[in-house]
Amino acid sequence: KAGVTQTPRYLIKTRGQQVTLSCSPISGHRSVSWYQQTPGQGLQFLFEYFSETQRNKGNFPGRFSGRQFSNSRSEMNVSTLELGDSALYLCASSLGLENEKLFFGSGTQLSVL
Amino acid sequence: AQSVTQLDSHVSVSEGTPVLLRCNYSSSYSPSLFWYVQHPNKGLQLLLKYTSAATLVKGINGFEAEFKKSETSFHLTKPSAHMSDAAEYFCVVSYSGNTGKLIFGQGTTLQVKP
């Protein structure tokens, strides 16, 4: 069974641009969650999608958005990039049950110059 | 607020000696507790999960953790460290009513010396 796949692996953008990251969950998983990892703030929850609906949300500004498609693949978009958005963005998938373990992808390393 | 605290940001042990990584959680509700490991330039891998079936939880690669409600702790241990155990370890909590949302500790870097 293939794991969680995130593309691209690395991205370099400049301030003010926007970026879209992609995540393909494990086959059969309907929940996709996104996390931001930085040296200063650690790992922080962005949002979770289940059956194409955002079901849970963290404390990030509206510049961070996402969506999920009918095949459970998910995209995350960040608009008007800021230097502080430089981070490793991790996607995780699961069946969507409460308190279950998540399976993580290797992440997309975003650098904003 | 729901939170988890890892008491050591960095732990250094010699190969073959025991490992202890400490974690405390806030006790607002009955949590689900996890330990994840992250090797350099890799994603997070689940080591073990506390499910309330037993207070001593065995995980992969010889790791185990003990849930102590009275101390609100969930420390990770391993009897004998191996060089391949060098990585970042995260204590993670999830509370009832939250799907997909894990609360991570700040992480503990484990260094294993030969």
Side-chain angles (χ1 to χ4, degrees), chain B residues 77-96:
Chain B
T77 60
K78 183 173 180 177
S80 176
H82 191 273
M83 295 297 292
S84 62
D85 294 328
E88 186 89 12
Y89 290 81
F90 294 93
C91 183
V92 181
V93 65
S94 175
Y95 291 93
S96 208

Side-chain angles (χ1 to χ4, degrees), chain B residues 19-41:
Chain B
V19 176
L20 170 63
L21 305 183
R22 299 182 295 165
C23 171
N24 286 102
Y25 64 93
S26 63
S27 60
S28 301
Y29 302 99
S30 295
S32 289
L33 294 158
F34 310 79
W35 277 96
Y36 279 83
V37 61
Q38 187 176 34
H39 290 275
N41 300 314

Side-chain angles (χ1 to χ4, degrees), chain B residues 1-112:
Chain B
Q2 303 158 352
S3 67
V4 59
T5 303
Q6 291 183 243
L7 300 170
D8 307 290
S9 60
H10 188 271
V11 169
S12 181
V13 301
S14 297
E15 189 175 22
T17 64
V19 176
L20 170 63
L21 305 183
R22 299 182 295 165
C23 171
N24 286 102
Y25 64 93
S26 63
S27 60
S28 301
Y29 302 99
S30 295
S32 289
L33 294 158
F34 310 79
W35 277 96
Y36 279 83
V37 61
Q38 187 176 34
H39 290 275
N41 300 314
K42 291 193 176 180
L44 292 151
Q45 181 184 19
L46 179 71
L47 279 176
L48 50 81
K49 175 187 176 184
Y50 168 68
T51 60
S52 77
T55 56
L56 185 62
V57 184
K58 293 189 183 299
I60 62 172
N61 301 335
F63 284 95
E64 59 183 38
E66 185 172 9
F67 174 73
K68 291 187 177 180
K69 188 174 181 179
S70 60
E71 299 176 9
T72 61
S73 69
F74 190 57
H75 301 335
L76 182 71
T77 60
K78 183 173 180 177
S80 176
H82 191 273
M83 295 297 292
S84 62
D85 294 328
E88 186 89 12
Y89 290 81
F90 294 93
C91 183
V92 181
V93 65
S94 175
Y95 291 93
S96 208
N98 282 297
T99 52
K101 180 178 180 179
L102 301 179
I103 299 170
F104 283 79
Q106 285 298 311
T108 298
T109 300
L110 176 64
Q111 180 187 22
V112 182

Side-chain angles (χ1 to χ4, degrees), chain A residues 33 35 37 48 55 99 102, chain B residues 36 38 49 94 99-100 102:
Chain A
S33 303
Y35 289 80
Q37 185 176 22
E48 184 234 2
R55 191 166 61 169
N99 301 328
L102 304 185
Chain B
Y36 279 83
Q38 187 176 34
K49 175 187 176 184
S94 175
T99 52
L102 301 179

Side-chain angles (χ1 to χ4, degrees), chain A residues 9-79:
Chain A
R9 185 70 180 90
Y10 300 95
L11 264 179
I12 299 176
K13 293 286 186 179
T14 56
R15 279 184 303 173
Q17 288 187 311
Q18 75 161 11
V19 67
T20 299
L21 313 181
S22 180
C23 173
S24 292
I26 290 171
S27 178
H29 285 186
R30 296 170 64 191
S31 169
V32 173
S33 303
W34 289 89
Y35 289 80
Q36 182 195 65
Q37 185 176 22
T38 59
Q41 299 299 316
L43 276 146
Q44 294 184 287
F45 172 74
L46 281 154
F47 30 65
E48 184 234 2
Y49 284 86
F50 180 82
S51 292
E52 303 178 64
T53 302
Q54 188 181 86
R55 191 166 61 169
N56 214 340
K57 190 176 186 304
N59 298 320
F60 278 80
R63 299 186 298 106
F64 292 82
S65 63
R67 59 178 176 169
Q68 186 180 34
F69 302 95
S70 58
N71 61 358
S72 293
R73 190 178 71 85
S74 176
E75 288 181 347
M76 190 192 91
N77 186 76
V78 187
S79 62

